[in-house]
Amino acid sequence: MRSTLVRQFGDPGQVIELVDAPRPAPGASEVEVEISLAAINPSDLIPVSGAYSARTALPFVPGFEGVGIVRRVGPDVQGFKAGDRVVPIGASGLWQQFLLRPAEWCFHVPDGIEDAQAAMSYVNPLTALRLAEALREHFGSLEGMDVGMTAAGSAIGGMLMKLLALEGAVPTAMLRSDRSRGRLGETHRILVADSGDGLMGSQFDAVLDALGGTLAGELIGRSIRPGGTFIQYGALSGAPVPQTAISGRPDIRFTFLWLRTWVHSAGREALEAAFLRSFAGLQSGLFTSPIAAAYPLSRLADALAHQADPRRDGKILLDPRC
């Protein structure tokens, strides 16, 4: 079967190989899923670089998010049959044609959701829902809360802007440049770092940060009201938040939110409830994401180059079947 493989850490464009891999039969409690489409996310590429080498065993197949069809069912599997459309989660491995996954880590996709959106129903929607829940746990109600978001021009940024507005919060998009402004429309407050919008002069009750690094430290130090919260859910800068910034603000709450940690502790019932909300958000348009392109897995190099293009406007998908 068509597959990818990472044997050593490094530049994703250099170390992710296209390989012909064996297709084993599903074992007890497993299903075999033929992947229809898989997404490319920063969370797929960061482990390839070696950033999480302490918890990433080589070799491995990348890809955390996608959708596919159950083709074979192993012994003792209940609730799934050949032909079911599912989202498999719980580990990497989706950048290949066929995937074995324990049935308990697969979730049925409702009819009426196209594959392209179903392939993006996991990482960003569930992260957005968890972030909104974390804010509710801190404040009780989000009504009238000023919430700033870094990297707000991303797919998840757009989701968060809409989701928090529905919850009664007042979201502000923080962008590096004007290029991303058009993705967010004219209904939200937008601050652009390179336009003199006063990014550091603004005050928020909470900041949701996908970047880390020095900008996060500056926001903690200057832009959060006492009693507020700073939640880091990504590290796109590749740098940690300065510890001095965190210790210098004992009057605010600093927390990390890593989706992987929650997923592996939440239990099946909570995950099913989260996916029901994700699928409902896809059907309503709340969680839909723009798609820049879909590539066959055989053109992985082109897909990775497009993913790295700063002009990219939307998600990149892979089709492992071709």
PDB file of all heavy atoms in Angstrom, residues 53-76:
ATOM      1  N   SER A  53      11.151  14.836  20.155  1.00  0.00           N
ATOM      2  CA  SER A  53      11.876  13.583  19.965  1.00  0.00           C
ATOM      3  C   SER A  53      11.835  12.683  21.196  1.00  0.00           C
ATOM      4  O   SER A  53      11.909  11.455  21.076  1.00  0.00           O
ATOM      5  CB  SER A  53      13.325  13.870  19.581  1.00  0.00           C
ATOM      6  OG  SER A  53      13.964  14.657  20.572  1.00  0.00           O
ATOM      7  N   ALA A  54      11.681  13.278  22.379  1.00  0.00           N
ATOM      8  CA  ALA A  54      11.667  12.465  23.597  1.00  0.00           C
ATOM      9  C   ALA A  54      10.443  11.564  23.662  1.00  0.00           C
ATOM     10  O   ALA A  54      10.475  10.527  24.337  1.00  0.00           O
ATOM     11  CB  ALA A  54      11.726  13.367  24.828  1.00  0.00           C
ATOM     12  N   ARG A  55       9.363  11.951  22.980  1.00  0.00           N
ATOM     13  CA  ARG A  55       8.154  11.121  23.024  1.00  0.00           C
ATOM     14  C   ARG A  55       7.749  10.609  21.648  1.00  0.00           C
ATOM     15  O   ARG A  55       6.633  10.115  21.480  1.00  0.00           O
ATOM     16  CB  ARG A  55       7.006  11.920  23.644  1.00  0.00           C
ATOM     17  CG  ARG A  55       6.473  13.055  22.781  1.00  0.00           C
ATOM     18  CD  ARG A  55       5.369  13.790  23.498  1.00  0.00           C
ATOM     19  NE  ARG A  55       4.620  14.665  22.607  1.00  0.00           N
ATOM     20  CZ  ARG A  55       4.027  15.789  22.977  1.00  0.00           C
ATOM     21  NH1 ARG A  55       4.107  16.182  24.237  1.00  0.00           N
ATOM     22  NH2 ARG A  55       3.359  16.521  22.120  1.00  0.00           N
ATOM     23  N   THR A  56       8.636  10.722  20.663  1.00  0.00           N
ATOM     24  CA  THR A  56       8.348  10.272  19.306  1.00  0.00           C
ATOM     25  C   THR A  56       9.339   9.193  18.924  1.00  0.00           C
ATOM     26  O   THR A  56      10.539   9.450  18.802  1.00  0.00           O
ATOM     27  CB  THR A  56       8.439  11.440  18.305  1.00  0.00           C
ATOM     28  OG1 THR A  56       7.579  12.501  18.727  1.00  0.00           O
ATOM     29  CG2 THR A  56       8.022  10.979  16.913  1.00  0.00           C
ATOM     30  N   ALA A  57       8.835   7.989  18.737  1.00  0.00           N
ATOM     31  CA  ALA A  57       9.706   6.867  18.396  1.00  0.00           C
ATOM     32  C   ALA A  57       9.828   6.748  16.877  1.00  0.00           C
ATOM     33  O   ALA A  57       8.842   6.822  16.144  1.00  0.00           O
ATOM     34  CB  ALA A  57       9.147   5.569  18.982  1.00  0.00           C
ATOM     35  N   LEU A  58      11.035   6.574  16.408  1.00  0.00           N
ATOM     36  CA  LEU A  58      11.309   6.341  14.994  1.00  0.00           C
ATOM     37  C   LEU A  58      11.322   4.847  14.712  1.00  0.00           C
ATOM     38  O   LEU A  58      11.705   4.054  15.574  1.00  0.00           O
ATOM     39  CB  LEU A  58      12.667   6.945  14.620  1.00  0.00           C
ATOM     40  CG  LEU A  58      12.783   8.471  14.679  1.00  0.00           C
ATOM     41  CD1 LEU A  58      14.250   8.887  14.533  1.00  0.00           C
ATOM     42  CD2 LEU A  58      11.940   9.135  13.598  1.00  0.00           C
ATOM     43  N   PRO A  59      10.950   4.441  13.495  1.00  0.00           N
ATOM     44  CA  PRO A  59      10.307   5.227  12.435  1.00  0.00           C
ATOM     45  C   PRO A  59       8.818   5.382  12.723  1.00  0.00           C
ATOM     46  O   PRO A  59       8.250   4.623  13.513  1.00  0.00           O
ATOM     47  CB  PRO A  59      10.552   4.388  11.194  1.00  0.00           C
ATOM     48  CG  PRO A  59      10.549   2.980  11.702  1.00  0.00           C
ATOM     49  CD  PRO A  59      11.165   3.038  13.079  1.00  0.00           C
ATOM     50  N   PHE A  60       8.168   6.347  12.057  1.00  0.00           N
ATOM     51  CA  PHE A  60       6.729   6.514  12.216  1.00  0.00           C
ATOM     52  C   PHE A  60       6.123   7.086  10.949  1.00  0.00           C
ATOM     53  O   PHE A  60       6.820   7.673  10.111  1.00  0.00           O
ATOM     54  CB  PHE A  60       6.406   7.406  13.418  1.00  0.00           C
ATOM     55  CG  PHE A  60       6.762   8.861  13.243  1.00  0.00           C
ATOM     56  CD1 PHE A  60       5.819   9.778  12.807  1.00  0.00           C
ATOM     57  CD2 PHE A  60       8.042   9.319  13.533  1.00  0.00           C
ATOM     58  CE1 PHE A  60       6.151  11.117  12.654  1.00  0.00           C
ATOM     59  CE2 PHE A  60       8.375  10.654  13.397  1.00  0.00           C
ATOM     60  CZ  PHE A  60       7.426  11.566  12.948  1.00  0.00           C
ATOM     61  N   VAL A  61       4.818   6.890  10.838  1.00  0.00           N
ATOM     62  CA  VAL A  61       4.048   7.450   9.726  1.00  0.00           C
ATOM     63  C   VAL A  61       3.361   8.711  10.231  1.00  0.00           C
ATOM     64  O   VAL A  61       2.647   8.661  11.231  1.00  0.00           O
ATOM     65  CB  VAL A  61       2.992   6.443   9.216  1.00  0.00           C
ATOM     66  CG1 VAL A  61       2.160   7.050   8.086  1.00  0.00           C
ATOM     67  CG2 VAL A  61       3.665   5.157   8.746  1.00  0.00           C
ATOM     68  N   PRO A  62       3.536   9.855   9.584  1.00  0.00           N
ATOM     69  CA  PRO A  62       2.903  11.087  10.058  1.00  0.00           C
ATOM     70  C   PRO A  62       1.405  11.105   9.767  1.00  0.00           C
ATOM     71  O   PRO A  62       0.866  10.235   9.077  1.00  0.00           O
ATOM     72  CB  PRO A  62       3.618  12.191   9.266  1.00  0.00           C
ATOM     73  CG  PRO A  62       4.728  11.541   8.528  1.00  0.00           C
ATOM     74  CD  PRO A  62       4.402  10.090   8.437  1.00  0.00           C
ATOM     75  N   GLY A  63       0.760  12.164  10.286  1.00  0.00           N
ATOM     76  CA  GLY A  63      -0.649  12.416   9.980  1.00  0.00           C
ATOM     77  C   GLY A  63      -1.565  12.072  11.134  1.00  0.00           C
ATOM     78  O   GLY A  63      -1.738  10.900  11.458  1.00  0.00           O
ATOM     79  N   PHE A  64      -2.166  13.101  11.740  1.00  0.00           N
ATOM     80  CA  PHE A  64      -3.057  12.897  12.877  1.00  0.00           C
ATOM     81  C   PHE A  64      -4.535  13.020  12.525  1.00  0.00           C
ATOM     82  O   PHE A  64      -5.373  12.665  13.352  1.00  0.00           O
ATOM     83  CB  PHE A  64      -2.750  13.924  13.983  1.00  0.00           C
ATOM     84  CG  PHE A  64      -1.479  13.661  14.728  1.00  0.00           C
ATOM     85  CD1 PHE A  64      -0.345  14.414  14.478  1.00  0.00           C
ATOM     86  CD2 PHE A  64      -1.401  12.656  15.673  1.00  0.00           C
ATOM     87  CE1 PHE A  64       0.833  14.178  15.166  1.00  0.00           C
ATOM     88  CE2 PHE A  64      -0.231  12.409  16.364  1.00  0.00           C
ATOM     89  CZ  PHE A  64       0.897  13.175  16.111  1.00  0.00           C
ATOM     90  N   GLU A  65      -4.864  13.530  11.341  1.00  0.00           N
ATOM     91  CA  GLU A  65      -6.254  13.911  11.092  1.00  0.00           C
ATOM     92  C   GLU A  65      -6.680  13.512   9.683  1.00  0.00           C
ATOM     93  O   GLU A  65      -5.956  13.742   8.715  1.00  0.00           O
ATOM     94  CB  GLU A  65      -6.397  15.427  11.265  1.00  0.00           C
ATOM     95  CG  GLU A  65      -7.808  15.952  11.084  1.00  0.00           C
ATOM     96  CD  GLU A  65      -7.888  17.451  11.302  1.00  0.00           C
ATOM     97  OE1 GLU A  65      -7.030  18.185  10.770  1.00  0.00           O
ATOM     98  OE2 GLU A  65      -8.808  17.882  12.000  1.00  0.00           O
ATOM     99  N   GLY A  66      -7.857  12.925   9.580  1.00  0.00           N
ATOM    100  CA  GLY A  66      -8.385  12.565   8.272  1.00  0.00           C
ATOM    101  C   GLY A  66      -9.684  11.792   8.395  1.00  0.00           C
ATOM    102  O   GLY A  66     -10.232  11.626   9.488  1.00  0.00           O
ATOM    103  N   VAL A  67     -10.163  11.316   7.253  1.00  0.00           N
ATOM    104  CA  VAL A  67     -11.407  10.561   7.200  1.00  0.00           C
ATOM    105  C   VAL A  67     -11.221   9.386   6.254  1.00  0.00           C
ATOM    106  O   VAL A  67     -10.410   9.449   5.322  1.00  0.00           O
ATOM    107  CB  VAL A  67     -12.569  11.469   6.726  1.00  0.00           C
ATOM    108  CG1 VAL A  67     -12.357  11.928   5.280  1.00  0.00           C
ATOM    109  CG2 VAL A  67     -13.920  10.777   6.872  1.00  0.00           C
ATOM    110  N   GLY A  68     -11.939   8.300   6.511  1.00  0.00           N
ATOM    111  CA  GLY A  68     -11.814   7.147   5.638  1.00  0.00           C
ATOM    112  C   GLY A  68     -12.972   6.186   5.783  1.00  0.00           C
ATOM    113  O   GLY A  68     -13.939   6.435   6.523  1.00  0.00           O
ATOM    114  N   ILE A  69     -12.866   5.074   5.080  1.00  0.00           N
ATOM    115  CA  ILE A  69     -13.908   4.045   5.036  1.00  0.00           C
ATOM    116  C   ILE A  69     -13.377   2.761   5.666  1.00  0.00           C
ATOM    117  O   ILE A  69     -12.273   2.307   5.332  1.00  0.00           O
ATOM    118  CB  ILE A  69     -14.336   3.755   3.578  1.00  0.00           C
ATOM    119  CG1 ILE A  69     -14.808   5.035   2.883  1.00  0.00           C
ATOM    120  CG2 ILE A  69     -15.432   2.692   3.546  1.00  0.00           C
ATOM    121  CD1 ILE A  69     -16.044   5.648   3.479  1.00  0.00           C
ATOM    122  N   VAL A  70     -14.155   2.187   6.562  1.00  0.00           N
ATOM    123  CA  VAL A  70     -13.789   0.898   7.136  1.00  0.00           C
ATOM    124  C   VAL A  70     -13.841  -0.166   6.041  1.00  0.00           C
ATOM    125  O   VAL A  70     -14.861  -0.328   5.365  1.00  0.00           O
ATOM    126  CB  VAL A  70     -14.742   0.515   8.285  1.00  0.00           C
ATOM    127  CG1 VAL A  70     -14.439  -0.906   8.782  1.00  0.00           C
ATOM    128  CG2 VAL A  70     -14.618   1.514   9.440  1.00  0.00           C
ATOM    129  N   ARG A  71     -12.740  -0.862   5.838  1.00  0.00           N
ATOM    130  CA  ARG A  71     -12.679  -1.920   4.816  1.00  0.00           C
ATOM    131  C   ARG A  71     -12.709  -3.317   5.427  1.00  0.00           C
ATOM    132  O   ARG A  71     -13.310  -4.229   4.872  1.00  0.00           O
ATOM    133  CB  ARG A  71     -11.415  -1.755   3.969  1.00  0.00           C
ATOM    134  CG  ARG A  71     -11.389  -0.498   3.124  1.00  0.00           C
ATOM    135  CD  ARG A  71     -12.597  -0.396   2.214  1.00  0.00           C
ATOM    136  NE  ARG A  71     -12.544   0.786   1.354  1.00  0.00           N
ATOM    137  CZ  ARG A  71     -13.591   1.279   0.721  1.00  0.00           C
ATOM    138  NH1 ARG A  71     -14.792   0.690   0.856  1.00  0.00           N
ATOM    139  NH2 ARG A  71     -13.474   2.345  -0.038  1.00  0.00           N
ATOM    140  N   ARG A  72     -12.035  -3.499   6.569  1.00  0.00           N
ATOM    141  CA  ARG A  72     -12.039  -4.812   7.226  1.00  0.00           C
ATOM    142  C   ARG A  72     -12.192  -4.608   8.721  1.00  0.00           C
ATOM    143  O   ARG A  72     -11.755  -3.596   9.278  1.00  0.00           O
ATOM    144  CB  ARG A  72     -10.738  -5.577   6.927  1.00  0.00           C
ATOM    145  CG  ARG A  72     -10.578  -5.961   5.464  1.00  0.00           C
ATOM    146  CD  ARG A  72      -9.362  -6.841   5.242  1.00  0.00           C
ATOM    147  NE  ARG A  72      -8.114  -6.096   5.377  1.00  0.00           N
ATOM    148  CZ  ARG A  72      -6.899  -6.645   5.287  1.00  0.00           C
ATOM    149  NH1 ARG A  72      -6.772  -7.968   5.107  1.00  0.00           N
ATOM    150  NH2 ARG A  72      -5.814  -5.896   5.396  1.00  0.00           N
ATOM    151  N   VAL A  73     -12.817  -5.589   9.356  1.00  0.00           N
ATOM    152  CA  VAL A  73     -13.110  -5.518  10.783  1.00  0.00           C
ATOM    153  C   VAL A  73     -12.496  -6.735  11.463  1.00  0.00           C
ATOM    154  O   VAL A  73     -12.700  -7.881  11.021  1.00  0.00           O
ATOM    155  CB  VAL A  73     -14.637  -5.472  11.026  1.00  0.00           C
ATOM    156  CG1 VAL A  73     -14.938  -5.511  12.516  1.00  0.00           C
ATOM    157  CG2 VAL A  73     -15.236  -4.218  10.393  1.00  0.00           C
ATOM    158  N   GLY A  74     -11.737  -6.496  12.528  1.00  0.00           N
ATOM    159  CA  GLY A  74     -11.100  -7.588  13.239  1.00  0.00           C
ATOM    160  C   GLY A  74     -12.041  -8.287  14.209  1.00  0.00           C
ATOM    161  O   GLY A  74     -13.185  -7.864  14.418  1.00  0.00           O
ATOM    162  N   PRO A  75     -11.573  -9.365  14.821  1.00  0.00           N
ATOM    163  CA  PRO A  75     -12.393 -10.096  15.796  1.00  0.00           C
ATOM    164  C   PRO A  75     -12.793  -9.200  16.971  1.00  0.00           C
ATOM    165  O   PRO A  75     -12.053  -8.292  17.369  1.00  0.00           O
ATOM    166  CB  PRO A  75     -11.463 -11.231  16.253  1.00  0.00           C
ATOM    167  CG  PRO A  75     -10.436 -11.361  15.176  1.00  0.00           C
ATOM    168  CD  PRO A  75     -10.251  -9.990  14.607  1.00  0.00           C
ATOM    169  N   ASP A  76     -13.975  -9.455  17.492  1.00  0.00           N
ATOM    170  CA  ASP A  76     -14.482  -8.801  18.708  1.00  0.00           C
ATOM    171  C   ASP A  76     -14.863  -7.334  18.519  1.00  0.00           C
ATOM    172  O   ASP A  76     -15.132  -6.647  19.509  1.00  0.00           O
ATOM    173  CB  ASP A  76     -13.464  -8.891  19.865  1.00  0.00           C
ATOM    174  CG  ASP A  76     -13.061 -10.321  20.184  1.00  0.00           C
ATOM    175  OD1 ASP A  76     -13.949 -11.195  20.108  1.00  0.00           O
ATOM    176  OD2 ASP A  76     -11.881 -10.558  20.476  1.00  0.00           O
TER     177      ASP A  76
END
